């Protein structure tokens, strides 16, 4: 295992860092907050501890259908939490809203009257802005993109026609950097085709314009292929992979959404395996049985059938897919506490950009994890060991990320001006950490036919 070197962190004194490092367990939900904590003016650390107790008790009550108890806990939380306060108050406010929405689901009429859960969701433009701010303030995904680009560059050495399929929505930033790397190749740049899959045509159009302009400036032959589709409805034929191309596939925070597909009304594992839009090209050689595959397994099998030289996967390093609410609630509270702690260091409390990230991006994920069930619950984050099993089952073999890719990610981390961001390597994969907690994983794969 390799870990970033450097001095001790300057942010370990943040109150929420202590809470985000606490080994919380579902059984902790049975412990009420000490009564004296609710009866006097609290210091920041006392308030944070009290909020954690209240949140855990509220989750336990909501999970067991004791809505009066959940309501009482929410009353106390409302008096202590604030979306504009310190990091613990902010994360508590986000989780309290998610718990309140879950409680309201017991009264469908109220939910419909209040246009919940879809009515308050951010517009696509707002969500895109929040993602850009997150990229700037907590640049884990910038580090992931640097590692992925280096992996692609190494896999495509001497290739003349390179096709990159981006399953993550077509954000231009990473691909501008890849254009620069390809333009600097000693043997000259290849012809680059980029296929970007996304739900919003206008976002893809903006990406196409930015990349086409940059490719012309760098004199890199370039073609952009937009595919407007949700990932769970994607027809792999629309990716237009051609014979003679060297194919790379990237997925950034996308694959976990496929885990919800089998909970959709009318879905079944057998239907998913036979659906031509999810896995029609899966092969027996891939290790996926089309008759019994889940949607994600069939989809990975279909991607294996495209013969990619490399596939780079970035996912949340978290376990938010448990069926029991209390289990995934505790996992989510730990995980998002770390992200809110990161934002506390990265931006002042009055920052508009920080507020957008917290409310339009992180709070929406928290609501989905806590308040939704069945096919509506799309934020089903799982850890790398689970994704590794799926990738291997689909026929992929792991490609260790190179030492130079590690250097590229570390250089990006060193330029951030904060030693709380760390890059850890384990078994050829990268873990992007806040302090010592892994937040995202980056892994690389290839079809065994290339071994």
């Amino acid at each position: 295992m390799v870990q970033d070197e450097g001095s001790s962190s300057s942010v370990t004194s943040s109150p929420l860092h202590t809470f985000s490092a606490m080994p919380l367990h579902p059984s902790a939900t049975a412990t009420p907050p000490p009564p004296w904590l609710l009866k006097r003016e609290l210091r920041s650390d006392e308030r944070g501890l009290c909020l954690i107790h209240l949140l855990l008790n509220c989750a336990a009550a909501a999970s067991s259908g004791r809505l009066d108890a959940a309501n009482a806990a929410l009353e106390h939380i409302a008096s202590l939490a604030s979306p504009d306060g310190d990091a613990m108050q902010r994360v508590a406010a986000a989780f309290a809203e998610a718990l309140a929405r879950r409680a309201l689901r017991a009264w469908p009429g109220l939910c419909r009257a209040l246009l919940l859960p879809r009515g308050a969701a951010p517009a696509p433009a707002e969500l895109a802005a929040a993602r850009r701010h997150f990229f700037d303030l907590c640049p884990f995904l910038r580090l992931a993109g640097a590692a992925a680009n280096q992996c692609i560059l190494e896999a495509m050495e001497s290739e003349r026609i390179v096709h990159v399929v981006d399953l993550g929505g077509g954000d231009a930033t990473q691909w501008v950097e890849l254009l620069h790397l390809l333009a600097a190749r000693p043997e000259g740049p290849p012809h680059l085709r980029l296929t970007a899959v996304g739900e919003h045509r206008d976002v893809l159009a903006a990406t196409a314009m930015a990349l086409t302009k940059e490719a012309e400036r760098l004199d890199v032959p370039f073609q952009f292929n937009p595919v407007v589709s949700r990932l769970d409805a994607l027809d792999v034929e629309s990716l237009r992979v051609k014979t003679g191309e060297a194919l790379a596939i990237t997925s950034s925070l996308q694959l976990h959404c496929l885990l919800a597909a089998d909970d959709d009304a009318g879905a079944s594992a057998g239907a998913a395996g036979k659906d031509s839009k999810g896995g029609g090209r899966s092969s027996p050689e891939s290790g996926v049985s089309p008759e019994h595959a889940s949607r994600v397994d069939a989809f990975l099998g279909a991607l294996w059938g495209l013969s990619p030289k490399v596939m780079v996967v970035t996912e949340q390093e978290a376990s938010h897919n448990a069926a029991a609410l209390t289990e995934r609630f505790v996992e989510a509270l730990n995980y998002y506490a770390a992200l809110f702690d990161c934002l506390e260091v990265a931006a002042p409390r009055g920052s508009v950009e920080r507020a957008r990230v917290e409310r339009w991006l992180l709070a929406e994920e928290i609501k989905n994890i806590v308040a939704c069930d069945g096919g509506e619950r799309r934020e089903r984050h799982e850890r790398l060991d689970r994704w590794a099993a799926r990738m291997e089952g689909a026929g992929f073999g792991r490609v260790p990320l190179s030492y130079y890719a590690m250097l590229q990610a570390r250089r990006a981390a060193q330029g951030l001006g904060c030693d709380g961001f760390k890059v850890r390597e384990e078994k050829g994969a990268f873990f992007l950490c806040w302090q010592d907690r892994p937040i995202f994983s980056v892994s690389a794969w290839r079809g065994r036919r290339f071994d």
Side-chain angles (χ1 to χ4, degrees):
M1 182 183 296
V2 180
Q3 190 167 341
D4 273 339
E5 299 173 355
S7 59
S8 61
S9 173
S10 62
V11 297
T12 54
S13 60
S14 170
L16 190 52
H17 173 70
T18 303
F19 302 129
S20 66
M22 288 173 62
L24 303 178
H25 303 286
S27 60
T29 59
T31 304
W36 58 268
L37 278 177
L38 300 174
K39 294 182 179 179
R40 65 176 178 81
E41 190 71 23
L42 302 177
R43 300 194 310 267
S44 176
D45 57 341
E46 293 173 337
R47 182 178 59 227
L49 181 61
C50 188
L51 282 168
I52 287 176
H53 280 295
L54 289 167
L55 286 166
L56 294 174
N57 278 290
C58 186
S63 179
S64 61
R66 295 180 289 114
L67 298 185
D68 286 345
N71 179 67
L74 285 170
E75 276 197 277
H76 288 305
I77 293 169
S79 68
L80 299 174
S82 168
D84 302 311
D86 63 30
M88 189 64 237
Q89 289 179 297
R90 288 172 181 241
V91 75
F95 274 90
E97 182 180 352
L99 286 167
R101 285 171 177 262
R102 184 175 185 87
L104 279 174
R105 291 167 67 92
W107 293 280
L110 283 176
C111 287
R112 285 193 290 270
L114 293 171
L115 302 178
L116 300 176
R118 289 182 294 274
E126 294 173 332
L127 187 56
R131 286 173 175 158
R132 288 194 300 271
H133 297 325
F134 180 71
F135 189 91
D136 293 332
L137 295 176
C138 293
F140 300 104
L141 300 184
R142 188 188 309 170
L143 306 183
N149 281 346
Q150 183 60 35
C151 187
I152 293 171
L153 187 68
E154 293 169 3
M156 299 303 169
E157 185 178 1
S158 300
E159 296 286 356
R160 302 307 306 166
I161 303 176
V162 173
H163 186 180
V164 176
V165 172
D166 171 17
L167 301 177
D171 180 79
T173 308
Q174 178 180 346
W175 307 125
V176 167
E177 295 174 358
L178 181 63
L179 284 170
H180 282 257
L181 291 173
L182 294 174
R185 288 201 322 181
E187 67 270 33
H191 179 96
L192 176 63
R193 291 184 64 219
L194 176 64
T195 295
V197 180
E199 296 183 41
H200 305 293
R201 190 178 303 274
D202 53 345
V203 173
L204 295 175
T207 298
M209 184 179 301
L211 293 179
T212 300
K213 182 177 180 181
E214 188 67 9
E216 290 175 353
R217 190 181 73 82
L218 295 171
D219 198 24
V220 175
F222 178 72
Q223 181 182 357
F224 188 86
N225 175 35
V227 177
V228 182
S229 174
R230 280 171 55 124
L231 200 61
D232 56 10
L234 178 66
D235 182 350
V236 296
E237 299 293 341
S238 66
L239 302 178
R240 293 191 280 176
V241 176
K242 300 176 182 178
T243 302
E245 296 177 331
L247 176 65
I249 301 174
T250 68
S251 175
S252 181
L253 313 186
Q254 298 299 310
L255 292 181
H256 66 264
C257 295
L258 295 174
L259 298 174
D262 294 322
D263 277 346
D264 285 336
S268 68
K274 296 175 183 178
D275 188 346
S276 63
K277 291 190 178 184
R281 295 185 60 175
S282 61
S283 163
E285 297 178 51
S286 72
V288 175
S289 171
E291 292 78 16
H292 301 96
S294 68
R295 179 63 60 89
V296 68
D297 292 332
F299 183 76
L300 292 175
L303 295 182
W304 182 91
L306 297 176
S307 303
K309 290 195 72 173
V310 67
M311 179 170 175
V312 184
V313 177
T314 301
E315 280 290 333
Q316 289 89 343
E317 184 62 11
S319 182
H320 298 154
N321 197 24
L325 171 63
T326 51
E327 184 177 344
R328 68 175 188 265
F329 183 90
V330 168
E331 287 280 345
L333 183 57
N334 262 316
Y335 181 83
Y336 286 97
L339 282 175
F340 275 74
D341 187 40
C342 172
L343 287 165
E344 180 82 346
V345 174
R349 292 181 184 176
S351 165
V352 173
E353 293 78 11
R354 175 182 175 181
R356 289 172 176 170
V357 171
E358 291 175 341
R359 297 172 189 177
W360 293 347
L361 184 64
L362 302 186
E364 290 299 311
E365 292 180 5
I366 292 168
K367 289 175 197 173
N368 191 261
I369 293 167
V370 173
C372 296
D373 287 311
E376 290 182 356
R377 184 161 60 84
R378 297 180 59 80
E379 299 298 336
R380 295 170 176 253
H381 311 147
E382 294 191 344
R383 293 193 172 95
L384 178 58
D385 56 350
R386 298 292 299 274
W387 288 112
R390 291 190 181 96
M391 296 296 293
E392 290 166 356
F396 288 92
R398 190 181 293 231
V399 177
L401 293 166
S402 70
Y403 179 72
Y404 192 71
M406 168 66 84
L407 289 180
Q408 292 294 92
R410 283 185 168 179
R411 284 172 185 164
Q414 289 169 358
L416 301 177
C418 175
D419 60 1
F421 298 102
K422 299 181 181 179
V423 183
R424 192 175 77 204
E425 183 273 336
E426 187 174 349
K427 297 180 180 178
F430 292 174
F431 294 91
L432 310 178
C433 307
W434 175 245
Q435 303 297 341
D436 294 320
R437 181 185 178 93
I439 303 296
F440 298 98
S441 67
V442 184
S443 58
W445 307 85
R446 71 189 318 182
R448 290 200 175 102
R449 65 186 67 183
F450 291 108
D451 290 350

